[in-house]
Amino acid sequence: MNLSTSGILERPATMRKSFSETLSLQVGTGLLLMWVASAPLAAKNIVPAFPAEAPYYGNRDIFVRSGRTAAYGTPLVAVTSSGTALVVVNDRLDSPVDNGFEQKVVLRRSLDNGKSWLGEQILGEKKDYTCFPSGLVCDKVTNKVFVFFGVIALRPREKSVPEKSATTIYVIESCDEGVTWSEWRNVTGELQPERGGRHYGTQSGGNAVQKQHSPHQGRLVVSSRSSLGPTDIINFGNAVNCVFYSDDHGATWHPGGHTRGWVGESALVELSDGSLYLSNRNHDPESMGVRSHDISYDGGQTFTEYGLDPELIEPICHAGITRYDRNTVLFSNPKMGLKKVQKGKAPTGFRQNMTVRASFDDCKTWPVEKLIDPSWAGYSAIAVCNDGTILCVYERGTGHTTEIIPSASRQNVAVARFNMAWLMQLERPAEMIAIPVTR
C-alpha cells in the first residue's frame, strides 16, 4: 500500500504563492472562494505513481440528528491494531451551540474498514452537565483504547460559558476494541502543569499518536487546548494548544508543552524524523485565514518552532491530520477563506468545501488535494485503516449551500471512505456526496 513519490514532480517556482498573495484570495464571496480553492489542481504539475489497486469512494452519514439531538459534532477517529475503527462524537441536546445545554459523548465502531457501522454507544452522560470528547488514542502495543472527555455543570443561560477551571477531565479505557469500557477515572489533577495555570484538556480537540520513532518511541501523545489567562471568542492571545502524554501505556498521564497564543484546536501528527507537528486553527489577527503550526523535537515536552502554512486556507475551523505511510501525510479541512471581519466581532468564514490533501515532504507542501464535499462541512478527523482505506469523518450541514442558518456546518456526522488510488485521481471529483442513512 505504500505510495511512491518518485513520480511527483516539484511544483514550479512560478506556482508558489507568497503569504500575502494567498491572503488576498480570501476576501470575497463564498461562491468565488470555492472556485478559487478548486482551480489550482490542474496547474500543480503532478505526475503520481498510483497504488496498484482500483480506486473506490463512498460517503454516508453515520450520526443523524433526531429527537432531542440538535447536532452531532467534534468527531474523533482512530483505528486499533486489530483493525477496529472507532468514531467518537459530541451529541448536542436541544441546541447545536457549544455550551449551556446538556451534551453526551457517543461512539460508533466499524469492524470492516468503514463499510458498515455498529450501533451507537453512550460513553459519557450526566444529567444537567455538558460532556464533550477531548481525546481518543489507541495503544498499538497493548491494543487498549482511551477516550478522554470533559464534564461541565450547566449554568444559567446568561452565564452559559463556564470558567475553564470548572471543567473536570475523565478518561475511560477499553481492552476489547470498544465493546466494554472501564469506569470513569478523574485525571484532571494529572494534567495540571507543575508551573501552574489552567488544566490541559479543558476544550475539545483530541486527536493523538503513538510515537513510532525516537525520542520517546511508544509514547502516547494527545493534542489538546488550554489557556494561560483570560480569553474570549475575539481575544485569543492567551489561548494555546498543548499535548499530554503517557509513557506507561495509559497508567499515568502528564502535561506536555504548549504553543504560542492565538490558536484554537490543533491536529497532531508525527513527522518522519520523530518530531511532533501540531497544525493549528489560527486566530492571529496578523495571519488568520491560513493555518499555523508548532513543532516539538522532544516528544511533546516543549514546542520550539513556529510557522505559517499559506497553502492550508481555512475559515477558522478544526482540522484532521494523520500519517498514511512513511512518505505521506494526509490533512482534511473545509477549504474556504474568511469573510471580511467587522470591528469588535469574531472572525468568521463559510465552513464549506471539505477537502483532503496529501503531503510528501513532512507537511512543508501539499501538492495533492481533492474536494470531497462542496456543501456545509465543519470539524473533521482523518485516519487510515489497516488495509489502507482512508476514513475522513466530518461534521456535515444539511442546509442548502446558499442558506445561512445557525451552526450551518454542524448537524450530522459523515464518513467519506476512499483509498489513495481515488485520492490521486485528481481529474475526478467525489462520485457521491453524503447521502443520509438511518441509524
Side-chain angles (χ1 to χ4, degrees):
M1 287 299 300
N2 285 356
L3 176 65
S4 170
T5 60
S6 59
I8 297 178
L9 301 182
E10 189 173 302
R11 216 172 145 187
T14 55
M15 291 303 300
R16 297 192 183 102
K17 292 184 176 65
S18 69
F19 178 59
S20 60
E21 289 173 323
T22 303
L23 283 181
S24 70
L25 294 176
Q26 294 167 27
V27 179
T29 66
L31 180 61
L32 173 62
L33 285 169
M34 181 171 70
W35 287 106
V36 169
S38 303
L41 287 179
K44 286 189 176 178
N45 198 18
I46 300 167
V47 183
F50 290 102
E53 61 177 344
Y56 58 85
Y57 176 87
N59 194 322
R60 58 178 293 191
D61 287 356
I62 63 168
F63 290 93
V64 181
R65 63 174 180 162
S66 64
R68 286 188 66 197
T69 298
Y72 288 101
T74 60
L76 301 173
V77 61
V79 179
T80 69
S81 57
S82 299
T84 299
L86 304 101
V87 175
V88 175
V89 302
N90 188 210
D91 183 349
R92 301 184 172 205
L93 304 178
D94 304 321
S95 172
V97 302
D98 287 344
N99 28 59
F101 295 86
E102 284 188 16
Q103 299 179 12
K104 298 185 291 186
V105 179
V106 295
L107 164 74
R108 290 192 74 175
R109 300 183 303 128
S110 174
L111 307 180
D112 54 8
N113 303 306
K115 293 178 183 176
S116 62
W117 295 86
L118 301 175
E120 187 176 304
Q121 298 172 243
I122 298 175
L123 301 184
E125 179 182 31
K126 192 172 183 180
K127 183 174 175 54
D128 295 327
Y129 280 78
T130 293
C131 299
F132 60 90
S134 60
L136 168 63
V137 62
C138 296
D139 189 322
K140 298 300 179 74
V141 176
T142 64
N143 210 32
K144 285 186 177 181
V145 182
F146 299 89
V147 172
F148 296 83
F149 53 91
V151 177
I152 308 173
L154 296 184
R155 290 189 171 195
R157 291 289 177 263
E158 64 272 14
K159 297 181 180 179
S160 61
V161 181
E163 292 292 329
K164 302 301 181 292
S165 59
T167 304
T168 304
I169 303 299
Y170 295 93
V171 65
I172 57 175
E173 61 184 78
S174 175
C175 298
D176 55 11
E177 306 282 309
V179 177
T180 61
W181 294 87
S182 67
E183 297 294 320
W184 299 12
R185 181 163 70 90
N186 187 336
V187 291
T188 313
E190 294 180 44
L191 303 184
Q192 177 71 41
E194 292 180 4
R195 60 183 173 274
R198 306 287 180 98
H199 291 89
Y200 285 12
T202 57
Q203 301 181 46
S204 59
N207 85 307
V209 299
Q210 183 167 35
K211 290 190 85 281
Q212 302 300 303
H213 308 289
S214 296
H216 306 289
Q217 185 177 10
R219 170 175 285 182
L220 301 173
V221 188
V222 184
S223 65
S224 188
R225 297 175 68 183
S226 190
S227 175
L228 301 181
T231 188
D232 58 44
I233 195 66
I234 298 173
N235 301 307
F236 264 70
N238 289 321
V240 297
N241 285 326
C242 54
V243 298
F244 52 91
Y245 63 88
S246 175
D247 289 323
D248 54 13
H249 302 289
T252 59
W253 296 90
H254 310 279
H258 65 80
T259 68
R260 64 193 293 274
W262 298 108
V263 293
E265 300 96 345
S266 63
L268 173 67
V269 72
E270 184 179 16
L271 302 183
S272 59
D273 65 356
S275 59
L276 294 175
Y277 175 96
L278 276 178
S279 176
N280 302 310
R281 167 175 164 168
N282 181 18
H283 286 263
D284 190 329
E286 299 298 320
S287 59
M288 65 176 66
V290 299
R291 294 186 71 80
S292 66
H293 66 264
D294 288 85
I295 298 178
S296 171
Y297 294 97
D298 57 9
Q301 290 167 226
T302 61
F303 285 87
T304 56
E305 184 175 320
Y306 168 78
L308 294 171
D309 299 288
E311 284 188 83
L312 300 183
I313 297 170
E314 67 165 2
I316 304 188
C317 188
H318 199 8
I321 199 167
T322 194
R323 179 163 290 282
Y324 175 77
D325 62 15
R326 62 187 180 89
N327 299 316
T328 311
V329 174
L330 303 175
F331 174 87
S332 62
N333 81 328
K335 186 181 179 181
M336 291 289 284
L338 291 178
K339 297 190 296 182
K340 291 182 179 179
V341 179
Q342 295 181 1
K343 187 176 180 179
K345 292 190 176 182
T348 57
F350 291 112
R351 291 178 177 176
Q352 297 174 343
N353 291 348
M354 183 55 61
T355 300
V356 173
R357 299 173 176 87
S359 173
F360 308 103
D361 57 6
D362 275 341
C363 306
K364 295 182 180 69
T365 62
W366 301 90
V368 170
E369 63 179 50
K370 197 160 186 179
L371 178 70
I372 65 171
D373 193 332
S375 61
W376 295 108
Y379 285 25
S380 65
I382 192 166
V384 180
C385 297
N386 292 357
D387 70 343
T389 297
I390 301 163
L391 302 178
C392 179
V393 185
Y394 64 98
E395 298 172 342
R396 194 180 76 86
T398 57
H400 191 272
T401 55
T402 60
E403 181 184 3
I404 306 301
I405 58 175
S407 301
S409 63
R410 179 182 287 144
Q411 276 94 47
N412 298 343
V413 166
V415 176
R417 178 183 181 275
F418 52 94
N419 61 356
M420 277 299 299
W422 179 84
L423 183 62
M424 297 295 289
Q425 285 186 314
L426 299 182
E427 74 284 0
R428 294 189 62 183
E431 290 89 350
M432 181 172 59
I433 301 298
I435 300 175
V437 297
T438 57
R439 281 183 276 184

